[in-house]
Amino acid sequence: MRIFADRKIKALFNKILICILALPSLSVAFLILKPENAALFILLSSLVMGIVILAVCYGYFIKQNEIMENAVEQITDYIAGSRETRIACDEEGEIYRLFHEVNSLASILNASAENERRSKLFLKNTISDISHQLKTPLAALNIYNGLLKEETAELPELQEFVLLSEKELDRIEMLVQNLLKITKLDAGSIVFEKAFENVADMMGEVELHFAYRAKQEEKKLILSGEEQILLFCDRDWMIEALENIVKNAFDHTGSGDFIRIEWKQSVSMIQIVIKDNGSGIHQEDLHHIFKRFYRSRFSKDKQGAGLGLPLSKMIVEAHKGTIEVQSELGMGTTFILNFLIPTKL
């Protein structure tokens, strides 16, 4: 059997075998010398042999248990973040072969994590450099566009092209900023400055940001929630996440539609719901809308870059929250954000 390949188990088996073989020999010898006490001797020797076997087995399994407990402790330390932790596997045997393979797996995981870290850092630095390089020409183009806007004030045809140019420049600038934010979040280089923020105040800021657009597009932005709810978050980043979702709602609603933002608190969590009665999301797209640059084949929106919702998801998850979406074509879309309330231990 394969189990006997372990040297320690072989030694244990040999000890038990010696005890089993020794009993008949001693019994025969004692039977020849003192036949009248042979039965008593056999009984006593069997009892002694049983105790010896139990003691040997107990000692062996106690030792094996210590080895396994130590291995579990090392694995737990590794999971907790101690990447240099390894299980001692200097001896021979099947169990030590297993430990060696576990150590090899840990080394592979470490190498993979290091490669991923370097790739993310390279991507962050590359996009950061490109973003900074684009800032100067974008600023110059905005200045030129502003000058053209003044010069063409009395030329309606040219004024239309200037306004379109301004809109496209704004799109490029937003795309660059979102790319930079996403790469920084990926690389873990952003430190969130969290504090207990009033949710109603943050929603008021979101409402103010979209008030002009709501008026221009004849849409209703409705807020509903308690005034005293506090959310432990980085205010600026959380508003960024909320505004991206609300912008998505504005992009997929028509004149006369509504966007409703509700928030409430339960015993264990704070929930924020952003709901609209717009065009809705096709079922085929529901599992993909948080992917970067994803564009639905059913979408009529040709302006979005596909970075707003992925950025919102990253921000929410960085705050230990969850985000989910429910939608029905022609009926509207609902985004649900849940945040656990930190417990005081």
Side-chain angles (χ1 to χ4, degrees), residues 123-186:
L123 181 63
K124 169 187 169 294
N125 291 336
T126 301
I127 294 183
S128 180
D129 291 341
I130 293 172
S131 299
H132 287 300
Q133 292 295 327
L134 284 173
K135 282 183 179 179
T136 301
L138 276 174
L141 286 171
N142 278 316
I143 293 173
Y144 300 152
N145 205 71
L147 293 173
L148 285 172
K149 190 175 182 180
E150 293 177 2
E151 294 295 326
T152 58
E154 298 179 0
L155 300 171
E157 293 181 358
L158 290 177
Q159 185 74 197
E160 182 181 353
F161 287 109
V162 170
L163 291 174
L164 288 173
S165 175
E166 183 179 15
K167 186 176 181 180
E168 293 303 313
L169 285 171
D170 289 341
R171 283 187 62 219
I172 295 172
E173 188 170 359
M174 180 177 293
L175 174 61
V176 170
Q177 291 298 327
N178 283 343
L179 275 172
L180 187 58
K181 290 171 184 175
I182 283 178
T183 51
K184 285 183 176 179
L185 285 169
D186 269 342

Side-chain angles (χ1 to χ4, degrees), residues 6 24 28 33 51 53 86 96 124 127 138 149 157-158 165 181 197 200-201 208 221 251 254 276 280 300 305 314 330:
D6 192 317
V28 171
L33 296 174
I51 294 172
I53 292 173
R86 295 292 183 274
Y96 291 103
K124 169 187 169 294
I127 294 183
L138 276 174
K149 190 175 182 180
E157 293 181 358
L158 290 177
S165 175
K181 290 171 184 175
E197 303 288 349
D201 288 347
L208 184 63
L221 181 57
D251 291 342
D276 67 68
K300 297 178 181 179
M314 293 180 73

